[in-house]
Amino acid sequence: MDKHVLSMLILLSCVFLFGCSDDDLEKASGSPPIAEPIDSLVQAVDVYRDEWGIPHIYAQNRDDMVFMQGYEMARDRIFHMDHLRRFIYGTQAEVYGEAFLEDDITKRIIGFRRLAEANLAYLEANFPDSLALVQSYCNGVNAYIEDMKASRNDAVRPLEFDRIDPAYWPDPWEVRDVVAVAKAQVFLQSFQGELEMFIFLGQILLFNSFDDLMRFQPMRPTYILESFPTLDYDTATQCGAGLLEAADLLADIPSDETTRMKIAEGLMMMADRLGRAFGGPEWGISQGSNNWVIDDSLTESGACILCNDPHMNLEYPSTMMSTHIVDLSRDEVGAIGNIVPGAPLVLIGHTAHVAWGLTNGFGDVTDLYREKLGANRQAVLYRDEWVPLDFYEERILVRAEGGSLDDTTEVVRTARWVPHHGPILIDLLPDDIGSLMELVGLVYSARWPGFSNESTDILTLRKVVEAETVQEAMAALEHFNSGVMNWVFADSSGNIGYMTAGPYPIRAKDLETFPPFLPLPGGGLHEWQGFLDLAEQPQTLNPDKGYVVTANNTISDQTLDNHPANDDHYYGHFFDLGTRAWRITERIEEMKAAGPIRLEDMTALQTDVHAVLADDLLPPLFENRDRICAQTDSDTCRALDILVGWDRSFDRESAGAALFSVWYNHLAYNTIHDDIPAFFLGLTGPFLSQLVGRDLSAWLAGRGPDSGKNYFDDLTTGGKVETVDDQMVASLEGAVQQLTEFFGPERAMDTWRWGEAHQKKFVHPVWDDLSQGFFENDGGQHSVDPAEYPIVTPEGALQVLPYEQGDGPAFRFCVEMKEGEWTTYNVLPGGQSGHVGDAHFADQLPLWLSNQNFQFWVLREDVEANAVNHRTYPPGFPQTPIP
């Protein structure tokens, strides 16, 4: 990417704000600076669209480049952008109706519009050059809106606007909107308030069982900073997590069961609403991602390879879109990659010099505080003084069903804000539950670095894309200060690097006594004492093993002993269970041994669907063959034979994949359903497999449970005591019965197909009749190519068939950084266009579903040779018409 055009980077799973930020940018520019944002083109711009409808923009200067990027982005995604803005600001109900009110309230309590306005004021005062470039982008968006209104230049009005109202038009796009999108998406990736509320709720409801069930130790021990693959836990001590007793945390709460359950309901609702705010319909979905880099010594081409596939809630239009922008005053390669609609430039991608990828670092940069509220409810006690709260009156318009845009009622909610922490979360609750929790002193606030007005990610990310080497890119992360992300880099000189960068808080008190993943006293003794220096943040440059893998797994060996808070550095607590990182590492090691590694090997690895779960869980089942096959012609014996012959791949054509997946669900459910209240079990959704998968693996290997409790005993069967073998056999019988009912008794078992029992629907965010699907898909629980789904229903019952996949890769991107011969592959789970019915609305979906991709053209001669459309926009456009 041209090092002088960056101003914003948005990451959605991986989306951030970035930009030019100081006078040095203008001094370094190779083209004359344009002091003010432009509202029309200064020079001609060429836009080529390829066979996938992706615009390749060639401008003579950076301002024209971002102006035209805004114009072409609005052409493809103006409804998507407008909806995303309403989604973030909490203004959905005023156009869509009451069904969106609850989510609007959540957004207003968190206050993304207020946060964006405050952050914008700081940026305007300190980095005006950055915002001028962003304004040029916004002016391009708004030029398209005006063309759409006037039916000029082939501008198309989305059908969703007509569904809202024939008179509806989106408001102009503003710099504040770009800042808000950035703020919200960093929140999605790094705010862990809902997870920590979930942990606290588990302490309340499960008591001593919680230390057994809430395992921080991963299922597989692969960690990012390992110098060679970690194969086992031999060097790890198996101690408990050391959590405080629930009795200590709730000592002053009334002991009657009704009150305690009402409090539990309130905590559950807070966790649920925070999680659903940006995580889709099931908050427990992992929001994970994969990325890795391979150095040039291991590859066939002699060039580094970088791959990235962020896992997000998959909707239609596609969550992401692709882009290629070039400032010809700098070079003819520019920046190429993927982006979220609503912000300029490139998210995850590469320039001529450096490629970069990001995954969620799962770093703990969130603390919940239990505040002591004054008698007048206007202040909190902090360091022996009463600190006044900030109050914000939020007026939310709600459109009447079937009414016009003017037919609205007003709902008023007050958001309370602790100045030194953040929002008071009980304001998310209905009045009766919120009042009860306030009465018993359970007033919780949340602190997160992105609540600061002084977010300066724009400085870091500008320098990342300016960088000509991995070393320069890593040095740029010093100012990254909103959330924690796993960054990987590769350059055209053969270097690779990794850093989990961000504002790791330095906590004031002993972490073993006051674990930061539980609510802390808010009186001032548990405040952050600054942040880790860049040199102390996890990182490596050109590691001896020749590659780095991140897949949301634990960063160091910190959690391998199941105790996240007893090490020199505390990075986080509940990372991914580690199967994806393990499998990627295993395959790369096999490729190293066979050598050399090809780019096509890496794109294939992105779609790997090996069932690591099966490697751990099936051998104990097979030991029960004599029992299962006492009658050799029984259905369960036939099912066992299919599993024995299964290649352990979640292939959609596979009967073994269907049998294993349903058996695993039954085993997980049968093991813990009687130990967890049904309503809490229903809250866990797909998150439950993150818990039970690592529990089952550990217990079968002899690592716990520490209490000695037999969780395989079914407490509902009276005096009988079940064993693990009993549950494995019973789960296979239950799986065969459920699958037989689903496929029909006439259908031969070996013709059962996983794809029929496991499907994906791409849901439109407002109107379900515009959704796409269902589609059969490969993948399963915790495979490299993820296709996860809830084990239980929201009511806490065993999940029914067919299983509906939740999140998945928002794109699959790989690049080989061979200078002058860059090779880039990409695919979206949909298409470039956001217009339902457009040729490019879903044309990439067949590739995505069949684990294929396409070559993303980088060099101009390739772009021109493969273009299906070319348009030259003249100087003065849009005031000057296109010839």
Side-chain angles (χ1 to χ4, degrees), residues 662-673:
V662 179
W663 171 75
Y664 168 67
N665 277 19
H666 279 255
L667 179 62
Y669 181 81
N670 290 342
T671 301
I672 51 82
H673 80 279

Side-chain angles (χ1 to χ4, degrees), residues 297-301 591-592 594-598 601:
S297 69
L298 302 180
T299 66
E300 183 178 68
S301 67
M591 293 178 200
K592 277 178 63 177
I597 296 174
R598 302 174 304 133
D601 298 328

Side-chain angles (χ1 to χ4, degrees), residues 84-129:
L84 182 60
R85 176 169 55 185
R86 290 191 174 279
F87 177 74
I88 292 168
Y89 288 161
T91 60
Q92 300 166 99
E94 71 177 67
V95 293
Y96 305 138
E98 188 175 5
F100 292 81
L101 176 61
E102 181 181 294
D103 188 62
D104 281 354
I105 290 172
T106 300
K107 308 302 174 44
R108 299 295 188 95
I109 297 301
I110 299 171
F112 287 109
R113 184 167 183 158
R114 298 192 307 271
L115 291 169
E117 289 171 346
N119 200 176
L120 177 59
Y122 173 79
L123 295 172
E124 287 174 335
N126 293 276
F127 313 108
D129 293 336

Side-chain angles (χ1 to χ4, degrees), residues 424-436:
I424 289 184
L425 299 179
I426 63 171
D427 290 340
L428 295 169
L429 301 175
D431 290 341
D432 59 335
I433 300 178
S435 297
L436 173 63

